[in-house]
Amino acid sequence: TQLLEQSPQFLSIQEGENLTVYCNSSSVFSSLQWYRQEPGEGPVLLVTVVTGGEVKKLKRLTFQFGDARKDSSLHITAAQTGDTGLYLCAGVNDMRFGAGTRLTVKP
Amino acid sequence: ETGVTQTPRHLVMGMTNKKSLKCEQHLGHNAMYWYKQSAKKPLELMFVYSLEERVENNSVPSRFSPECPNSSHLFLHLHTLQPEDSALYLCASSHTLGTGEGYGYTFGSGTRLTVV
């Protein structure tokens, strides 16, 4: 079992601000996934990152996989209230998730 | 109907009751999972089924009993629960055991369980 640590645990920002959240492990992952969970719903897959150093963009969301494949980050540009939710990372094939970053974007 | 469907959405039960949670997927996935999500803890993996065979049981108390009669259905039978078992119970499925590149877990909306 590979332990995933996410930071920060909580983040509250104003609409329009930028933010970055992190997912770190002492172990190497073959690939890693990010999910977003909105209140009252299950997590929904956002992206899978596979190659060390890879950067993937999904509209205002930018995902980066560390060169050593032990860490990943999610950067949101010009946050909107609709970005509010719990952001989770998971190691592919590990079936386990980090504790998540709970993001609140205020209008 | 597509996706993963969980019923009921909300459940209140006494400590002496017996109830069951149901999960159904019509995605053709071969693996199904039960997770527990509590307010103060991360997602906890409870049970894993692959092709209807249980492949993982994460030291879950025996008052939780899973059942997977076929690859589309998963149940969680509950018996003499404790108040600390109150949580959101999430069912998920995936194409194969674990998740492959580009695929992921598809989650249901969960059952919010309150034990009184």
Side-chain angles (χ1 to χ4, degrees):
Chain A
T1 301
Q2 298 170 309
L3 186 63
L4 287 159
E5 295 184 356
Q6 292 191 246
S7 60
Q9 189 177 357
F10 299 96
L11 185 58
S12 181
I13 62 171
Q14 293 294 137
E15 197 169 28
E17 293 182 358
N18 301 332
L19 67 114
T20 303
V21 298
Y22 302 91
C23 174
N24 295 291
S25 174
S26 57
S27 304
V28 174
F29 287 97
S30 59
S31 53
L32 192 142
Q33 295 178 329
W34 284 92
Y35 292 75
R36 179 170 65 213
Q37 184 179 17
E38 297 183 12
E41 298 297 329
V44 174
L45 178 67
L46 296 174
V47 78
T48 303
V49 285
V50 178
T51 307
E54 179 178 8
V55 177
K56 280 191 174 178
K57 292 195 174 186
L58 188 66
K59 296 183 180 178
R60 294 176 294 101
L61 278 60
T62 302
F63 303 85
Q64 187 161 5
F65 200 17
D67 291 339
R69 304 205 316 276
K70 291 184 178 182
D71 56 272
S72 182
S73 64
L74 159 58
H75 181 81
I76 300 179
T77 303
Q80 299 176 356
T81 56
D83 295 326
T84 292
L86 179 66
Y87 288 82
L88 297 161
C89 63
V92 168
N93 295 325
D94 192 45
M95 300 180 285
R96 286 161 178 83
F97 290 75
T101 293
R102 192 166 296 280
L103 172 66
T104 302
V105 182
K106 296 179 282 188
Chain B
E1 190 174 346
T2 59
V4 177
T5 303
Q6 288 189 246
T7 54
R9 287 296 305 270
H10 301 273
L11 178 62
V12 179
M13 60 185 289
M15 288 190 284
T16 58
N17 290 160
K18 289 184 181 180
K19 295 286 184 183
S20 295
L21 309 185
K22 180 182 176 182
C23 176
E24 191 171 354
Q25 59 97 1
H26 301 283
L27 300 167
H29 288 172
N30 292 320
M32 296 186 78
Y33 314 79
W34 280 116
Y35 286 88
K36 175 184 178 182
Q37 189 173 38
S38 306
K40 307 278 185 186
K41 295 183 180 180
L43 273 172
E44 299 174 63
L45 180 64
M46 299 177 72
F47 301 105
V48 180
Y49 278 82
S50 177
L51 297 170
E52 302 147 45
E53 296 287 327
R54 191 191 308 180
V55 297
E56 186 159 340
N57 175 348
N58 252 10
S59 301
V60 179
S62 59
R63 57 186 183 269
F64 295 91
S65 175
E67 179 189 3
C68 187
N70 55 61
S71 60
S72 298
H73 294 85
L74 185 65
F75 295 89
L76 187 62
H77 304 299
L78 314 173
H79 172 52
T80 59
L81 295 192
Q82 304 298 311
E84 59 265 29
D85 295 323
S86 299
L88 180 68
Y89 288 85
L90 288 161
C91 173
S93 69
S94 64
H95 186 68
T96 54
L97 187 63
T99 60
E101 177 185 339
Y103 301 104
Y105 302 101
T106 302
F107 283 85
S109 298
T111 294
R112 174 69 61 185
L113 174 67
T114 303
V115 181
V116 297

